[in-house]
């Protein structure tokens, strides 16, 4: 009886040993298969972003973005002493608590930039300026027969039409009304239908602040304002009241805002000036109002331009008051001053980095010929413009570019104040 029990016990022990061996074997297989599966699941979850990455220490961060926290360098590599206070690039505790975001490679600023948009954000902006314009009967007859090509050749037309803004001095009224001013030697006017010539030339802004705008009276002047308005051409320096006449034309081009004033220092009569209740032109004999308006415009505009009528006819040298006025405009906030009226070209000057063009002379003015300029102001960097001259003259009645302007450039250099006209027509301070 005892032997059978012992034998049974031995049998049971044997079974338990076998079971234990099977259990251990199963566990081994499970571990071999389960651990890789578990690791695969964990890595998948990490890749999916379920588990956050551990923050890098300051030294590793500095190595990844190529700068040390104390450099204070901005995203473009330029020194920026205020960077620690403004963009959180210096973060002593490594918490990035100002915006709760981590930027392990320091590349957020670059990723947010669109290279194509950045390239287009500040392209060249060209403003073209022409001097005195007055259409004689011969001009109009040629235009009626052959169109605008009778006034300017293809290259000059292209430069006027393709400028971002083209500005000129309109030295006549568009009207069929009124009587010529008594005792005035020269009086001009043109049928309003010919405002289309301005449109075909590409004119965007004209100044009407000059000594011929009211040659045929106030009604004719108001007809001029209406004709320009109907043609979609902005006018500076004149209006239906003083507030309008003294306000700048404001245009935004390629992200840059330009405020353009027109004003005159030449007038046959005080009665020509705009008042609170009278249409007329804006005068700058006393520059106080214009200077104040320049200062106000500067607060909201990137660039302020003064297109001014001044000087003595036929004099190639500006009057001292022209230099004083120009410097006052620039002190008030202008970064370009362009002058007309003498009917001849005068020289150039820079004051506080801003160019002064004392006289552009006649551009398309009656039957008068002679050397003239289309002036191109190139705005590229937010500051004062670079100036380029396009020398031209009328040949058989058609405005054409001068082939060899070297003599003209030499003369203009001699007439200027510390300015050289280079071979390519650009200006540089001596």
């Amino acid at each position: 009886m005892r032997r059978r029990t012992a034998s049974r016990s031995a049998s049971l022990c044997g079974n338990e040993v076998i079971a234990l061996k099977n259990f251990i074997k199963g566990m081994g297989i499970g571990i071999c298969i389960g651990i890789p599966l578990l690791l695969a699941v964990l890595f998948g979850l990490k890749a999916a972003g379920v588990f956050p990455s551990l923050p890098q220490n300051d030294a590793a961060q500095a190595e990844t973005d190529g700068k040390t926290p104390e450099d204070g360098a901005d995203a473009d590599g330029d020194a920026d002493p205020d960077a620690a206070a403004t963009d959180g690039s210096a973060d002593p505790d490594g918490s990035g608590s100002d915006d709760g975001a981590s930027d392990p490679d320091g590349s957020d600023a670059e990723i947010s930039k669109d290279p194509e948009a950045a390239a287009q954000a500040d392209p060249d902006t060209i403003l073209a300026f022409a001097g005195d314009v007055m259409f004689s009967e011969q001009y109009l007859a040629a235009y009626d027969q052959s169109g605008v090509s009778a006034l300017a050749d293809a290259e000059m037309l292209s430069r006027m039409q393709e400028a971002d803004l083209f500005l000129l001095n309109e030295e006549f009224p568009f009207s069929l009304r009124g009587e010529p001013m008594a005792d005035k030697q020269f009086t001009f006017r043109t049928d309003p239908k010919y405002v289309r010539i301005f449109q075909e030339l590409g004119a965007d802004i004209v100044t009407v602040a000059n000594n011929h705008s009211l040659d045929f009276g106030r009604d004719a002047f108001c007809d001029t304002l209406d004709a320009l308005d109907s043609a979609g051409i902005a006018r500076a320096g004149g209006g239906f009241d003083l507030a309008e006449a003294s306000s700048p034309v404001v245009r935004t081009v390629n992200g840059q805002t330009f405020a353009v004033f027109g004003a005159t220092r030449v007038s046959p009569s005080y009665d020509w000036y705009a008042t609170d209740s009278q249409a007329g032109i804006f005068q700058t004999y006393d520059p106080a109002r214009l200077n104040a308006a320049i200062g106000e415009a500067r607060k909201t505009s990137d660039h302020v331009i003064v297109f001014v009528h001044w000087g003595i006819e036929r004099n190639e040298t500006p009057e001292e008051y022209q230099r004083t006025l120009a410097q006052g405009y620039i002190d008030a906030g202008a970064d370009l001053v362009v002058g007309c009226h003498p009917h001849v070209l005068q020289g150039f000057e820079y004051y506080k980095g801003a160019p002064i063009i004392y006289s552009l002379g006649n551009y398309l003015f009656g039957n008068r010929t002679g050397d003239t300029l289309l002036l191109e102001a190139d705005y590229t960097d937010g500051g004062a413009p670079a100036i380029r001259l396009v020398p031209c003259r009328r040949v058989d009645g058609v405005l054409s570019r001068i082939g060899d302007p070297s003599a003209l450039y030499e003369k203009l250099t001699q007439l200027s104040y510390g300015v050289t006209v280079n071979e390519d027509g650009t200006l540089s301070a001596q």
Side-chain angles (χ1 to χ4, degrees):
M1 191 73 181
R2 180 176 299 176
R3 179 173 298 182
R4 290 180 62 185
T5 301
S7 175
R8 186 176 180 185
S9 297
S11 177
L12 288 173
C13 288
N15 290 336
E16 289 173 355
V17 170
I18 293 171
L20 181 59
K21 288 182 178 181
N22 290 336
F23 175 78
I24 292 172
K25 184 178 180 181
M27 285 292 292
I29 294 172
I31 290 172
C32 292
I33 297 175
I35 289 178
L37 288 175
L38 178 61
L39 291 175
V41 170
L42 291 175
F43 278 116
L45 292 174
K46 179 178 176 64
V50 174
F51 301 125
S53 300
L54 293 176
Q56 295 174 301
N57 58 35
D58 287 345
Q61 177 69 34
E63 185 176 351
T64 21
D65 62 19
K67 61 194 176 192
T68 59
E70 57 268 58
D71 280 340
D74 64 15
D76 296 322
D78 298 324
D80 183 7
D82 298 325
T86 57
D87 65 9
S89 59
D91 185 12
D93 63 4
S95 64
S97 57
D98 55 339
D99 62 7
S102 63
D103 181 16
D105 60 5
S107 62
D108 281 357
E110 296 301 325
I111 291 173
S112 65
K113 293 179 180 178
D114 180 347
E116 184 175 350
Q120 296 176 355
D122 191 22
D124 287 4
T125 299
I126 305 296
L127 272 60
F129 295 81
D132 300 331
V133 174
M134 188 277 291
F135 299 132
S136 66
E137 290 300 321
Q138 291 89 338
Y139 260 47
L140 298 179
Y143 171 81
D144 288 340
Q145 182 175 356
S146 304
V148 73
S149 61
L151 307 184
D153 68 13
E155 179 184 358
M156 295 308 301
L157 285 173
S158 175
R159 286 188 174 273
M160 290 182 276
Q161 294 166 353
E162 293 179 10
D164 292 292
L165 291 175
F166 175 40
L167 305 88
L168 57 83
N169 172 50
E170 180 195 335
E171 200 146 14
F172 62 90
F174 279 117
S175 183
L176 295 177
R177 296 195 293 167
E179 298 295 328
M181 183 178 183
D183 302 322
K184 193 168 189 288
Q185 184 178 6
F186 298 106
T187 56
F188 310 128
R189 70 175 175 180
T190 297
D191 190 320
K193 71 181 182 180
Y194 288 111
V195 72
R196 66 177 182 264
I197 296 178
F198 280 178
Q199 293 173 309
E200 293 176 31
L201 291 175
D204 299 290
I205 302 171
V206 303
T207 175
V208 296
N210 56 60
N211 58 313
H212 287 285
S213 291
L214 280 85
D215 276 357
F216 281 76
R218 203 167 311 281
D219 287 343
F221 176 71
C222 291
D223 289 344
T224 303
L225 304 182
D226 288 336
L228 293 169
D229 291 348
S230 297
I233 298 171
R235 45 185 167 79
F240 290 102
D241 56 33
L242 179 57
E244 193 173 79
S246 61
S247 295
V249 174
V250 179
R251 293 289 182 270
T252 299
V253 184
N254 296 330
Q256 299 185 74
T257 302
F258 298 85
V260 181
F261 288 93
T264 186
R265 175 62 170 68
V266 183
S267 176
S269 171
Y270 287 103
D271 188 52
W272 283 33
Y273 302 150
T275 69
D276 292 340
S277 58
Q278 173 178 279
I281 57 178
F282 186 32
Q283 62 87 15
T284 185
Y285 283 88
D286 177 359
R289 186 180 182 112
L290 175 54
N291 287 345
I294 291 170
E296 287 301 310
R298 189 65 183 181
K299 296 177 182 178
T300 55
S301 300
D302 299 304
H303 306 284
V304 179
I305 299 164
V306 179
F307 205 168
V308 58
H309 215 70
W310 59 7
I312 305 298
E313 292 187 358
R314 305 300 175 191
N315 281 10
E316 294 182 328
T317 303
E319 300 297 294
E320 193 59 34
Y321 81 75
Q322 291 176 252
R323 300 184 70 189
T324 301
L325 285 176
Q327 292 174 12
Y329 302 149
I330 293 167
D331 285 337
D335 55 16
L336 174 62
V337 178
V338 180
C340 291
H341 177 66
H343 298 298
V344 293
L345 296 172
Q346 294 181 345
F348 315 104
E349 187 170 10
Y350 280 92
Y351 176 71
K352 295 184 176 179
I356 303 167
I357 316 301
Y358 282 108
S359 174
L360 285 178
N362 293 326
Y363 191 65
L364 294 169
F365 195 91
N367 294 316
R368 299 182 187 181
T369 59
D371 294 344
T372 186
L373 300 170
L374 180 69
L375 182 136
E376 295 180 339
D378 187 349
Y379 292 85
T380 59
D381 59 3
I387 301 299
R388 179 172 54 253
L389 310 180
V390 182
C392 45
R393 66 166 65 101
R394 288 178 60 202
V395 178
D396 296 329
V398 178
L399 191 69
S400 303
R401 183 166 183 158
I402 297 174
D404 180 9
S406 56
L408 174 61
Y409 288 171
E410 182 178 351
K411 179 179 180 179
L412 289 173
T413 296
Q414 294 171 354
L415 292 174
S416 297
Y417 300 85
V419 174
T420 298
V421 181
N422 302 309
E423 292 181 359
D424 60 356
T426 59
L427 304 186
S428 58
Q430 296 174 354

